[in-house]
Amino acid sequence: MATLVVAEHNNTSLSEATSKTVSAAKALGTDIDILVAGQGASAASEAAAQIDGVRAVITVEHDLLARQMPEAMEATIMALMDGYDTVMAADTTTHKAYMPRVAAKLDTQQISSVTGIDGDVFERPIYAGNALAYVKSTGGKKVVTVRTTAFPLSGDGGSAASESKSVEIGDTGSTFVSEELTKSDRPELTGAKIVISGGRGMGSGENFALIDTIADKLGAAVGASRAAVDAGYVPNDYQVGQTGKAVAPQLYIAVGISGAIQHLAGMKDSKVIAAINKDEEAPIFQVADYGLVADLFKALPELDAELAKIGY
Amino acid sequence: MKVLVPVKRVLDYNVKARVKPDQTGVDLSNVKMSMNPFDEIAVEEAVRMQEAGTATETIAVSVGPAKAQETIRTALAMGMDRGVHITTDEDLEPLAVAKILKAVAEAEGAELVLMGKQAIDNDYGATGGMFAALMDWPIGQYANTLAPGEGTIEVKREIDGGLQTVTLKLPAVVTTDLRLNEPRYASLPNIMKAKRKPIEAKTPEDLGVDTTPRLTIVKVTEPKTREAGVIVETVAELVDKLKNEAGVI
Ligand SMILES: Cc1cc2nc3c(=O)[nH]c(=O)nc-3n(C[C@H](O)[C@H](O)[C@H](O)COP(=O)(O)OP(=O)(O)OC[C@H]3O[C@@H](n4cnc5c(N)ncnc54)[C@H](O)[C@@H]3O)c2cc1C
Ligand SMILES: Nc1ncnc2c1ncn2[C@@H]1O[C@H](COP(=O)(O)O)[C@@H](O)[C@H]1O
């Protein structure tokens, strides 16, 4: 049988999350097709065909798929599922919004935010990552979302066949109104090699400029704790944690963040963690490889200057 | 409109989960349990809709053991009208919970179901979408702001790239995100009042729902713990370590 991987894209470009999902799918040892569901998505489809290990790229275009509305995604995938025994997608907000719909229609339990696959056993963190559950399907089709930070890129050089399909989508009861996307020239949080995050200790949105300067020097993405988002310092899409984004960069720098379990859940798989906090008792120091007990308003300008000294 | 809010009893968010030595799950004996925080946000929103006159009746429903009644009482103390308790000692999968919620929503004639985006114990984030599909209703996941209209509801959603606004035709499902509101604390008089509000109890069998699990848990383990590292004295030392010891800058 075969696995259908649903592409993460915005019609004009394909996100790296797609390639990482393909590499998770490879662990199942079946043929892999990619579904590009969109509108005017030929560029995304062409990019998908280059991912290593893919048999075919199926493109379905429809107005309601321009932003991959959940009801329309359910209809599209259900129309294709006869040919597949597994459907897999990244655990981004786009896919998390409709994959449970597909699972319910297939009368199966979604396996959410998988971090490892060994034969037919799926590993997934539960309780904010304080436990790891290993689960197995008892039969039927599988609906799987994957935490892409746990899987490498699949590589390119593939030459998948391309086909277009059309799907009937009736009245879904849902209409797109508008979008306010956070503009940034920095790398995407979930794929960045370096992430620097600020917490409540930053004190204000303006003070995040101290973090931005360093992020720009290092080519890093900027993240935040829930407290910093709730206080309105930064937009919601900056939130790292159990109920925000999971990141696993080479270097994670936590500034003015205490290290609550919900925050740790989203960053403790980073290769190296550095923390700056004025409270030496802050729990973040229990997971940090390098801890600096200091006032961030003094430490961040110093960090900026020290980086300049070594050529940044 | 009639609003239904599913509320789950979970390990309190301040308590660190401990894995049982036999690796069958997380130890829930003698630990503090509370309402799933995202469900508190859903309850708060339902009560506000009632105060604003847009909700005509608000019903809290919980699927779980005898003690889940306390969770329903919390929702009633926050201001909801009445409760439905589907009693089971099994730890049901979201698919089974969604099927139970379908039976309850149909019996009640619910027009809006407000629920949490994720239960902080199993971290599935699946029940809302599953329930919506079983009902063939539209869904607005990760709500940041809600604006009920005539036969519709506008949902501003928190998505990975920022915010997105959609309009859903009612009946519909909305899942809550952290910024939707700040849940109130129940006042003492309201806690007393809640004791007299009705809670109807039923079983999954009464509703004719098959709750057979679709997954088997092979084992549950403790994750690898990270060793605490070193405390550096100066920023210069930090930069030196990151560059020359860790090689990450
Ligand atoms: C349902 C639920 C979901 C949640 N999901 C998430 C999530 O996904 N992500 C998340 O991050 N949190 C989440 N939380 C919140 C989490 O529990 C914490 O409240 C939050 O992470 C705290 O953020 P913080 O560390 O920035 O703030 P605080 O805990 O207030 O810590 C601020 C830190 O800054 C330090 N500080 C202050 N001033 C300075 C200074 N001048 N210099 C240096 N240090 C300074 C202080 O010593 C302190 O350690 C969730 C909570 C719930 C209930
Ligand atoms: N046993 C339950 N009883 C009532 N509501 C539930 C139950 N399980 C899940 N829910 C609802 O579904 C949401 C998402 O849960 P989950 O899919 O398990 O992450 C929760 O926030 C609740 O609103």
Side-chain angles (χ1 to χ4, degrees):
Chain A
M1 274 297 248
T3 300
L4 184 66
V5 166
V6 193
E8 170 88 8
H9 68 92
N10 64 359
N11 297 309
T12 48
S13 66
L14 188 74
S15 153
E16 281 191 344
T18 312
S19 175
K20 292 177 178 173
T21 310
V22 168
S23 99
K26 281 179 177 170
L28 299 174
T30 68
D31 285 332
I32 299 168
D33 291 351
I34 294 183
L35 165 66
V36 177
Q39 176 71 306
S42 55
S45 299
E46 278 159 31
Q50 273 146 42
I51 297 175
D52 173 69
V54 179
R55 180 179 67 179
V57 173
I58 300 159
T59 306
V60 179
E61 303 218 347
H62 195 289
D63 280 353
L64 290 169
L65 295 174
R67 286 187 174 78
Q68 300 170 40
M69 301 291 274
E71 302 77 11
M73 289 301 286
E74 174 201 321
T76 304
I77 292 166
M78 288 309 290
L80 301 174
M81 274 315 281
D82 274 353
Y84 302 94
D85 56 2
T86 303
V87 54
M88 208 180 246
D91 73 344
T92 61
T93 51
T94 303
H95 306 289
K96 287 193 295 190
Y98 70 81
M99 287 289 269
R101 298 188 70 108
V102 173
K105 282 289 157 80
L106 294 170
D107 198 30
T108 189
Q109 177 55 48
Q110 166 173 297
I111 310 178
S112 312
S113 297
V114 164
T115 49
I117 301 173
D118 184 6
D120 58 353
V121 176
F122 295 85
E123 175 195 86
R124 52 179 305 266
I126 55 174
Y127 288 88
N130 285 310
L132 291 172
Y134 293 84
V135 300
K136 219 156 112 163
S137 161
T138 56
K141 298 198 192 240
K142 294 196 254 310
V143 175
V144 182
T145 63
V146 301
R147 187 177 279 191
T148 51
T149 51
F151 297 92
L153 287 166
S154 179
D156 38 39
S159 52
S162 307
E163 43 180 307
S164 286
K165 285 199 174 150
S166 61
V167 169
E168 292 277 324
I169 303 173
D171 178 15
T172 60
S174 164
T175 332
F176 170 80
V177 179
S178 62
E179 221 160 51
E180 302 154 48
L181 299 183
T182 307
K183 287 195 191 65
S184 169
D185 296 329
R186 299 196 189 99
E188 215 208 322
L189 203 43
T190 54
K193 293 207 164 47
I194 302 179
V195 173
I196 173 163
S197 291
R200 198 197 308 270
M202 294 307 297
S204 74
E206 292 75 61
N207 292 340
F208 259 78
L210 294 169
I211 284 195
D212 291 347
T213 312
I214 290 164
D216 290 339
K217 278 213 161 101
L218 293 172
V222 177
S225 69
R226 172 192 174 178
V229 176
D230 283 4
Y233 301 169
V234 288
N236 59 278
D237 52 302
Y238 280 43
Q239 184 181 314
V240 170
Q242 179 190 17
T243 65
K245 290 179 183 166
V247 301
Q250 293 292 302
L251 172 62
Y252 188 88
I253 310 175
V255 185
I257 292 178
S258 60
I261 48 180
Q262 291 85 5
H263 188 78
L264 301 185
M267 45 65 81
K268 71 181 161 65
D269 294 330
S270 304
K271 184 166 169 264
V272 173
I273 297 173
I276 303 175
N277 195 305
K278 67 177 180 191
D279 173 12
E280 62 182 326
E281 303 283 317
I284 191 77
F285 290 128
Q286 287 161 25
V287 298
D289 299 285
Y290 303 109
L292 177 69
V293 181
D295 187 320
L296 68 91
F297 296 106
K298 201 168 149 280
L300 287 178
E302 273 178 43
L303 179 57
D304 189 43
E306 287 296 329
L307 288 172
K309 279 191 206 159
I310 58 166
Y312 279 99
Chain B
M1 73 180 95
K2 224 177 190 187
V3 181
L4 197 72
V5 181
V7 294
K8 187 178 188 191
R9 180 173 180 268
V10 298
L11 180 66
D12 186 83
Y13 80 96
N14 266 319
V15 179
K16 188 166 183 279
R18 304 244 170 257
V19 172
K20 288 193 223 164
D22 66 0
Q23 300 198 331
T24 54
V26 163
D27 193 353
L28 295 180
S29 51
N30 303 315
V31 287
K32 186 177 176 209
M33 305 287 284
S34 314
M35 186 189 301
N36 183 42
F38 289 101
D39 305 354
E40 274 185 1
I41 295 172
V43 169
E44 174 65 32
E45 199 65 16
V47 172
R48 287 187 193 184
M49 286 176 72
Q50 189 153 27
E51 288 165 349
T54 42
T56 48
E57 192 182 16
T58 53
I59 306 154
V61 42
S62 191
V63 182
K67 287 221 163 132
Q69 221 198 78
E70 292 169 13
T71 310
I72 298 176
R73 289 277 172 226
T74 305
L76 302 183
M78 286 171 74
M80 292 187 71
D81 292 326
R82 60 187 174 87
V84 177
H85 180 190
I86 310 301
T87 54
T88 173
D89 285 329
E90 277 166 71
D91 185 12
L92 298 183
E93 288 175 352
L95 179 66
V97 175
K99 288 177 180 176
I100 289 170
L101 294 177
K102 176 174 195 272
V104 175
E106 284 173 349
E108 296 287 354
E111 292 161 274
L112 178 67
V113 176
L114 277 173
M115 45 206 290
K117 77 164 180 179
Q118 158 181 358
I120 60 160
D121 52 0
N122 62 36
D123 285 330
Y124 267 118
T127 312
M130 291 186 143
F131 167 74
L134 295 177
M135 301 298 284
D136 273 318
W137 288 0
I139 190 165
Q141 298 254 42
Y142 323 131
N144 172 285
T145 314
L146 290 184
E150 274 300 315
T152 61
I153 190 159
E154 191 177 87
V155 187
K156 188 185 270 190
R157 311 176 49 221
E158 296 197 357
I159 59 171
D160 282 344
L163 291 162
Q164 182 189 69
T165 304
V166 297
T167 304
L168 309 178
K169 252 194 243 164
L170 296 174
V173 182
V174 169
T175 67
T176 58
D177 216 321
L178 295 167
R179 265 67 61 177
L180 182 57
N181 60 46
E182 236 177 88
R184 70 192 67 191
Y185 289 101
S187 65
L188 196 57
N190 284 344
I191 293 172
M192 298 312 288
K193 250 202 329 221
K195 292 194 171 144
R196 292 189 304 271
K197 292 184 181 175
I199 298 179
E200 187 187 356
K202 284 187 181 155
T203 63
E205 296 73 45
D206 293 340
L207 301 173
V209 175
D210 168 28
T211 58
T212 318
R214 300 293 190 267
L215 302 176
T216 29
I217 296 172
V218 181
K219 63 177 177 183
V220 174
T221 66
E222 297 260 1
K224 270 193 287 191
T225 46
R226 267 190 103 98
E227 303 276 313
V230 295
I231 293 290
V232 295
E233 296 304 323
T234 63
V235 173
E237 190 187 344
L238 176 65
V239 169
D240 175 63
K241 297 258 190 210
L242 292 177
K243 185 172 164 62
N244 300 317
E245 190 174 273
V248 288
I249 59 170

